[in-house]
Amino acid sequence: MKETIKTLITSSAISKRIDELAEQIMEDYAGKTICMVCILKGGVVFMVELAKKIKNPVLMNFMDLSSYGNGTTSSGEIKVLMDLDEPVDGMDVLIVEDILDTGRTLNYVSNLLKSRNAKSVKICTLLDKPDKIGRKQIDADYVGFSIPDEFVVGCGLDYAQKYRNLDYIGVISFEEE
Ligand code: IMP
Ligand code: MG
């Protein structure tokens, strides 16, 4: 299959939006240390870019979960592949994720960190697919862009582990060769 990627959001639009999100986050977290929890692997590119624009003290923590295999649809079940190595009790946690799709991952992580007595838990996602069928009732506190329900790659998002390093977001399509 030939993979074709069509630009949906340009690199400069992403940078501009990240600046805006950082401004808003700095206002909301004034005087606070932000305990970022990056959802691997997709959230890592966005978290790094966002964190660099924030002047507050920022802690970087990582968690790896699985919901997708190597395809383009969610398998439904969430597994913790790698847990945090620091406690989050009493922390102002900001979960940083690449995309809010069915919402299962963020719903799961958010409840898990609340149950560990984080002082506050908010969600920051680069992309949101609000029209997803079967979408969980979960809202992100900070959203970069709302996009249609299409499979996208770039800026941390992969197809079969590829394309995470693209500096733009693109819609991938497949054709017989
Ligand atoms: P959810 O649990 O269904 O919200 O899925 C969240 C995870 O699915 C994200 O962290 C992504 O890794 C993956 N995902 C969902 N939609 C896409 C997409 O369009 N492209 C790449 N990965 C996606
Ligand atoms: Mg992911």
Side-chain angles (χ1 to χ4, degrees):
M1 289 287 230
K2 186 168 174 270
E3 294 163 11
T4 310
I5 300 167
K6 209 173 125 224
T7 305
L8 182 67
I9 309 169
T10 63
S11 159
S12 63
I14 295 167
S15 302
K16 187 166 164 276
R17 187 70 188 119
I18 290 177
D19 288 349
E20 291 169 358
L21 291 172
E23 285 297 330
Q24 202 189 327
I25 290 168
M26 283 192 279
E27 204 178 299
D28 297 351
Y29 286 84
K32 292 179 179 172
T33 295
I34 306 172
C35 176
M36 289 192 177
V37 171
C38 171
I39 309 300
L40 292 172
K41 300 171 187 167
V44 76
V45 175
F46 177 44
M47 184 185 79
V48 168
E49 294 302 315
L50 181 68
K52 286 196 296 191
K53 302 287 179 178
I54 290 177
K55 307 275 181 270
N56 302 49
V58 167
L59 308 177
M60 293 187 181
N61 293 294
F62 301 89
M63 212 171 173
D64 194 5
L65 298 117
S66 74
S67 75
Y68 275 58
N70 269 351
T72 60
T73 51
S74 175
S75 64
E77 186 201 354
I78 310 286
K79 275 194 299 198
V80 177
L81 301 177
M82 188 189 89
D83 206 342
L84 299 173
D85 60 0
E86 304 273 354
V88 292
D89 58 296
M91 307 297 290
D92 290 300
V93 170
L94 183 62
I95 302 169
V96 184
E97 174 61 309
D98 52 3
I99 191 164
L100 178 50
D101 185 28
T102 65
R104 287 195 202 98
T105 307
L106 284 171
N107 190 48
Y108 179 90
V109 179
S110 165
N111 288 334
L112 180 67
L113 301 183
K114 282 176 193 158
S115 77
R116 292 181 185 175
N117 298 318
K119 189 167 150 207
S120 66
V121 178
K122 286 192 181 188
I123 293 171
C124 179
T125 181
L126 178 61
L127 304 175
D128 184 14
K129 288 182 186 169
D131 303 330
K132 181 82 183 183
I133 297 163
R135 171 65 175 268
K136 284 248 181 215
Q137 280 310 313
I138 179 162
D139 283 322
D141 301 274
Y142 306 97
V143 174
F145 301 90
S146 290
I147 61 164
D149 184 14
E150 285 181 288
F151 199 83
V152 290
V153 294
C155 232
L157 292 133
D158 71 304
Y159 169 68
Q161 301 302 329
K162 293 182 291 186
Y163 309 118
R164 294 191 195 275
N165 59 317
L166 298 182
D167 65 356
Y168 61 94
I169 302 285
V171 176
I172 188 163
S173 58
F174 308 91
E175 286 157 47
E176 298 280 356
E177 277 180 279

